Amino acid sequence: MTTLPPYTPASIVPGMYDILLLNGRVLDGTGAPARSVDIAIEAGRIVAIGDLSTATATDSIDATGKFVTPGFIDIHSHSDLTLVIAGQASSSVAQGITTQIAGNCGVSAAPTLDHVPYYGPLDPAMTRGMVCDWIDFDDYFDRLTNQGLGTNLATLVGHGNIRVAAMGWEDREATPTELERMRQLTAQAMEHGSLGLSSGLAYAPGPYAPLEELVELGRVVGRYGGLYTSHIRNQTLGIAAAVGEVIAVGERAGITAHVSHMQPGSPMLGATADLLQTIDSVRARGVDVSCDAIPYTIGSTTLKSLLPPWSLDGGDEALLRRLQDPAMRDKIKADTMTHGAESGGSRKRNLVKEGSWDRIWLGSAERNEHLTGKSFAEIGQIRHQDPHDAVLDVLLEENARPWMLAEDVSEEDFLNIARHETGGIISDGFSLIPEGVLAEGKHHPRSYAAFPYFLRHFIRDQGALTWEQAIHKLTGHAAARFRLTDRGVLREGAWADVVIFDPETIAEGADFDNPYRYPHGIDTVLVNGIAAVDDGRLTDSRSGRIVRRTA
Ligand SMILES: [Zn+2]
């Protein structure tokens, strides 16, 4: 009797792989100490880890002297619409990001209001020329998949989208019918694979929503095992109460809750020490709460968030009418000069109240392109007017679209969060390409640089965390918090999202003067087993996938 050898398909003949990553120091994303092992990849997945020096493969990459880590996971991007303009996601891939979560701060690509996107805090000028042919996430995901995606993409659904679709930009509570519509839209987004709900309580119409509305929608999300994230209502004097509101949604809806960029502005610098203690005590009683932070002291958002939220009642057109009315302008300015950030909107309103115009810069504009990159102290001089009036006039001239940058948070607070068990690290940026509309203005360098900057500045230069801890934050921790399965760790069976970089040379290339430059020291980026960066060069692999919430 003859015994046949067991059948083995050619593609998984032992020792013959697609790619071998040899001789590197592997940080597997769990925080475990680095190990000198090889990795084999086959059909987009990691299939073997160990001594593979005798194995053969179609491609071999020698990682001697380099770190081999999981692809970085950016749990907070605003690439929702920039990916429609340019799917290659060059600025993200180049910094090692292989998966990003969009739909943050209450704004997502879907649902649209009959093909009109909700931009919320985003700048519609940045994606001009875009044709919006989707209403829901299924259609949006199809569009991106057909175009090809440089990174994997998961998304939250924005509360702003839901509220605007159900009841417009009104500064009032929802009627029972409107609330029911919001529940339906939230449920549909979850059925299409959204990870959960995000709110942007600094950006109209977010500030108009009471806690009860967020709890109601949180309960819908909870039925699907989703989570809730929030750009909180107040990041200055009222920050403890605002974090408390996120905790209340988590606790009352019975879901995981997450405070986005939990960085306090003046006069609450240092408040993260107390906030993180609150998170610890809440977690001890069983409420699953976490937070994250951006590794810069300069933030960036829409210029109109320097205004009190009531001035945005009714949407941009109503705002522009108010900005043309001298009495209304005085009322808007008086609100900020009296209350600063305490009457809502961005924490950066405190800079206006203090007159710190040299720490607020114009990030984007069309008619005023020549003013981008300049502070409002300079812009006031150039335009021969008070900087506060310059803000209102630039908003008017630019149809309420521009972005700003402003310096108002501390490295101490960033590090408190980065070192905390629940703290994540985020870019808060966009996927960009260095040409066309996505290369205009002077946006924040984080879109090209956040993670290499974090690794160079805080890890190599300061030793603020170990490399193992730092990589864990950018990979395994991020995947676990947002329940992305088979990503964020290097183990057999996981997707082959991998970064190979030199810990001696990794560094950002972009800064505030030149925000659209690629980083250094990142040699290889694999997205689902395909090289998106090969020998330091972008390949435009578009091997990313849509990542839907797993049941
Ligand atoms: Zn954000």
Side-chain angles (χ1 to χ4, degrees), residues 76 78 104-105 261 428:
H76 189 116
H78 290 285
N104 288 286
C105 299
H261 36 61
D428 204 18

Side-chain angles (χ1 to χ4, degrees), residues 476-497:
H477 172 79
R481 286 307 302 168
F482 284 80
R483 299 179 194 139
L484 306 175
T485 47
D486 294 341
R487 300 195 190 270
V489 286
L490 298 179
R491 60 163 168 68
E492 288 171 20
W495 286 102
D497 295 337

Side-chain angles (χ1 to χ4, degrees), residues 335-347:
D335 186 305
T336 305
M337 296 313 287
T338 308
H339 304 292
E342 304 316 317
S343 58
S346 168
R347 66 177 184 237

Side-chain angles (χ1 to χ4, degrees), residues 199-274:
S199 68
L201 304 182
Y203 306 120
Y208 314 145
L211 169 63
E212 205 55 46
E213 177 178 319
L214 302 166
V215 172
E216 278 302 308
L217 301 180
R219 287 185 176 128
V220 175
V221 162
R223 291 210 307 266
Y224 297 90
L227 48 83
Y228 172 68
T229 75
S230 184
H231 178 130
I232 55 181
R233 214 178 278 273
N234 182 302
Q235 294 177 317
T236 53
L237 285 180
I239 193 168
V243 168
E245 191 180 28
V246 181
I247 293 165
V249 172
E251 187 155 32
R252 291 178 53 194
I255 57 178
T256 292
H258 182 89
V259 184
S260 296
H261 36 61
M262 196 178 71
Q263 287 150 292
S266 162
M268 294 299 285
L269 298 182
T272 45
D274 287 343

Side-chain angles (χ1 to χ4, degrees), residues 79-223:
S79 306
D80 313 80
L81 299 177
T82 64
L83 286 171
V84 178
I85 294 282
Q88 53 267 59
S90 309
S91 70
S92 308
V93 169
Q95 55 174 310
I97 294 168
T98 57
T99 300
Q100 54 180 321
I101 300 177
N104 288 286
C105 299
V107 51
S108 54
T112 65
L113 186 54
D114 201 14
H115 302 103
V116 177
Y118 164 70
Y119 281 90
L122 304 181
D123 176 1
M126 196 173 180
T127 52
R128 64 183 187 278
M130 180 186 81
V131 176
C132 176
D133 56 0
W134 68 91
I135 290 178
D136 59 29
F137 277 122
D138 271 355
D139 290 343
Y140 168 72
F141 290 155
D142 283 349
R143 166 91 182 252
L144 291 183
T145 303
N146 291 338
Q147 292 182 191
L149 259 180
T151 67
N152 300 307
L153 177 75
T155 183
L156 301 152
V157 60
H159 166 260
N161 297 64
I162 300 281
R163 198 175 215 267
V164 165
M167 59 180 288
W169 297 78
E170 310 288 303
D171 182 0
R172 62 173 173 81
E173 286 193 22
T175 65
T177 316
E178 288 162 347
L179 190 57
E180 183 50 32
R181 179 73 185 134
M182 284 193 248
R183 281 197 203 92
Q184 288 167 2
L185 289 168
T186 304
Q188 187 192 45
M190 295 305 292
E191 270 159 26
H192 290 190
S194 168
L195 301 181
L197 177 76
S198 82
S199 68
L201 304 182
Y203 306 120
Y208 314 145
L211 169 63
E212 205 55 46
E213 177 178 319
L214 302 166
V215 172
E216 278 302 308
L217 301 180
R219 287 185 176 128
V220 175
V221 162
R223 291 210 307 266

